[in-house]
Amino acid sequence: MKKFALILSVLLISVSMAYCQDGRTKNYVVGFYNLENLFDIYDDPAKNDAEFLPDGKNQWTDVKYQKKLHNMATVIKSMAETNGRFHSILGVSEIENRLVLEDLVSQPEIASANYQIVHYDSPDARGVDVGLLYRPDQFKLLDSESIPFDFGSEKIQFAMSGEDRVKFKTRDILMAHGLLDGEEFAFYVAHLPSRIGGKGWDLRSRGAEIIYDHARNMMEKYPGIKIVVMGDMNDNPTDVSMTEFMHGKEKPEEVGKDDFFSPFISMLKAGYGSLAYQGTWNIYDVILVNETLLNAPDGGFRIRPVGKKGFYGVVYKKNFMITQRGQYKGTPFRTFSNGAFIGGYSDHLPTYIVLEKQENN
């Protein structure tokens, strides 16, 4: 009976995939995943990677590194099995360099996706960057850009002194511009400044403002372009950085031409979370889309609801990704706990959206 059920499940997925690619409906998955300190084992004098060396604090050996790569690939493969397809676009954060992404995309669990990489080294003090993986059979990269953080805001009063601003280093914002199945898109990947000590709302608001201003310029330069903003924002979608400076709106009917639809606001209010801190679930792994992608005409990609509850986003959560016992039971099964390597996945759960194209026959 179990064997029959498995065969039936495979057939249903095959039929679904065939229908979705038969010229009537196409579904592409776009998502984000904080990989929680994906460092290689090699010393880079230009980065603060001492903890992630074989003789460092974390005793970061090749065995642990390979386990981490396998775990990250396992989650990406699991999402592909759930959706019947690999992500077309996957933004990532907390990666040390391009090498770790090359090692990741070559893992046997996901090698068949043939992911290509967009990555820039950025000046972050911890030495972590953001990156983007894309399937070249679906997305044609035209150009990309690494957008630096600056303090050039007319709206924000910064708490940081002028001297400290000069010393401040954080992740750049990545922008990838190209054609997704022939339609023009810009994808932004961010990892906004930390909220350690409850601070930095002004820095995160400035990061959001930088993304928004750049996206508006892209919309003026390329009329009709569709935009997806994703990242570890270190803020919930309900925080000021996302609602005021990214112009994120909860409901589709609230979204004007200069706004972004923020599907994870409703999910946060409904109790969903992508990471837990001191017993509280948050969604820092935010994805937003511009009005053009929300209200695309027939025949073009638009964001669509996913699942029976009608949400436009997904927080991907499987039992193997969750701590099953102890003090942190029920929270994401992470790589380290209290300084010890426990062989988990990430302290964040991945999030994604689904884009649908209805084509006329």
Side-chain angles (χ1 to χ4, degrees):
M1 186 66 182
K2 290 183 178 179
K3 184 177 181 180
F4 174 77
L6 177 61
I7 294 173
L8 180 60
S9 176
V10 171
L11 288 173
L12 287 173
I13 290 175
S14 299
V15 171
S16 174
M17 290 181 68
Y19 175 76
C20 290
Q21 303 298 335
D22 69 355
R24 288 179 290 173
T25 305
K26 293 182 178 180
N27 291 309
Y28 285 179
V29 182
V30 175
F32 174 78
Y33 196 12
N34 181 320
L35 302 182
E36 191 201 2
N37 294 322
L38 181 56
F39 278 75
D40 64 30
I41 63 171
Y42 309 108
D43 183 22
D44 183 345
K47 294 189 174 184
N48 184 17
D49 62 356
E51 292 185 29
F52 288 92
L53 296 174
D55 59 352
K57 177 182 176 182
N58 294 322
Q59 298 182 333
W60 193 240
T61 62
D62 188 59
V63 171
K64 293 177 181 177
Y65 176 53
Q66 295 301 326
K67 171 66 172 175
K68 177 72 172 178
L69 290 169
H70 167 73
N71 283 357
M72 299 295 88
T74 297
V75 174
I76 296 170
K77 178 186 177 183
S78 177
M79 289 191 285
E81 290 173 341
T82 296
N83 292 311
R85 60 191 58 80
F86 281 106
H87 282 57
S88 300
I89 302 288
L90 179 61
V92 294
S93 69
E94 290 202 18
I95 56 166
E96 183 182 9
N97 49 38
R98 185 183 180 91
L99 173 63
V100 300
L101 291 182
E102 292 174 349
D103 288 344
L104 175 61
V105 300
S106 65
Q107 293 296 298
E109 295 84 359
I110 63 174
S112 63
N114 190 31
Y115 279 123
Q116 303 301 297
I117 298 166
V118 184
H119 168 264
Y120 293 87
D121 287 313
S122 63
D124 177 72
R126 289 186 56 235
V128 292
D129 303 329
V130 298
L132 183 136
L133 308 180
Y134 69 93
R135 291 183 55 180
D137 59 323
Q138 298 176 350
F139 180 67
K140 179 182 179 181
L141 180 67
L142 297 177
D143 55 80
S144 61
E145 184 178 350
S146 187
I147 307 166
F149 182 93
D150 63 47
F151 290 89
S153 177
E154 298 179 355
K155 300 178 181 179
I156 301 170
Q157 295 294 321
F158 295 102
M160 191 177 291
S161 68
E163 182 178 349
D164 287 338
R165 292 184 202 179
V166 174
K167 298 177 182 178
F168 181 71
K169 297 179 180 180
T170 190
R171 281 78 55 173
D172 289 349
I173 298 153
L174 186 151
M175 188 282 295
H177 170 222
L179 303 177
L180 183 65
D181 195 28
E183 294 191 33
E184 194 163 26
F185 273 79
F187 296 97
Y188 291 81
V189 186
H191 186 182
L192 297 186
S194 170
R195 56 191 295 137
I196 292 176
K199 299 178 180 179
W201 74 269
D202 52 342
L203 303 179
R204 293 186 295 280
S205 293
R206 176 55 183 157
E209 186 178 51
I210 291 170
I211 299 170
Y212 180 80
D213 289 346
H214 194 283
R216 288 290 304 132
N217 288 336
M218 289 293 286
M219 287 187 276
E220 292 176 6
K221 186 176 181 180
Y222 303 102
I225 191 171
K226 296 176 178 180
I227 293 179
V228 179
V229 175
M230 67 182 87
D232 177 355
M233 305 304 184
N234 271 308
D235 267 342
N236 279 306
T238 52
D239 287 324
V240 65
S241 63
M242 295 292 103
T243 58
E244 181 176 341
F245 292 93
M246 261 310 305
H247 296 248
K249 306 297 183 183
E250 177 181 1
K251 299 177 181 178
E253 59 269 24
E254 298 173 338
V255 180
K257 66 181 181 65
D258 294 328
D259 297 321
F260 278 78
F261 175 48
S262 185
F264 290 93
I265 293 178
S266 296
M267 296 188 69
L268 179 68
K269 291 180 177 180
Y272 290 83
S274 62
L275 76 159
Y277 180 69
Q278 295 183 346
T280 300
W281 281 95
N282 302 278
I283 301 181
Y284 291 172
D285 306 277
V286 180
I287 304 175
L288 309 95
V289 304
N290 69 338
E291 189 273 339
T292 306
L293 184 51
L294 172 66
N295 295 320
D298 291 343
F301 275 119
R302 66 175 66 169
I303 186 173
R304 72 165 177 85
V306 185
K308 296 179 180 179
K309 296 185 178 181
F311 292 116
Y312 283 81
V314 175
V315 177
Y316 192 73
K317 179 180 179 181
K318 295 292 184 182
N319 284 338
F320 73 88
M321 301 162 61
I322 301 299
T323 305
Q324 299 298 317
R325 61 181 65 87
Q327 179 182 359
Y328 302 108
K329 181 179 178 181
T331 65
F333 183 22
R334 56 195 302 164
T335 306
F336 290 91
S337 180
N338 296 321
F341 178 76
I342 59 174
Y345 297 81
S346 173
D347 54 349
H348 290 243
L349 299 174
T351 56
Y352 64 81
I353 60 174
V354 176
L355 307 182
E356 179 181 78
K357 176 185 283 191
Q358 297 280 350
E359 295 188 326
N360 297 322
N361 292 324

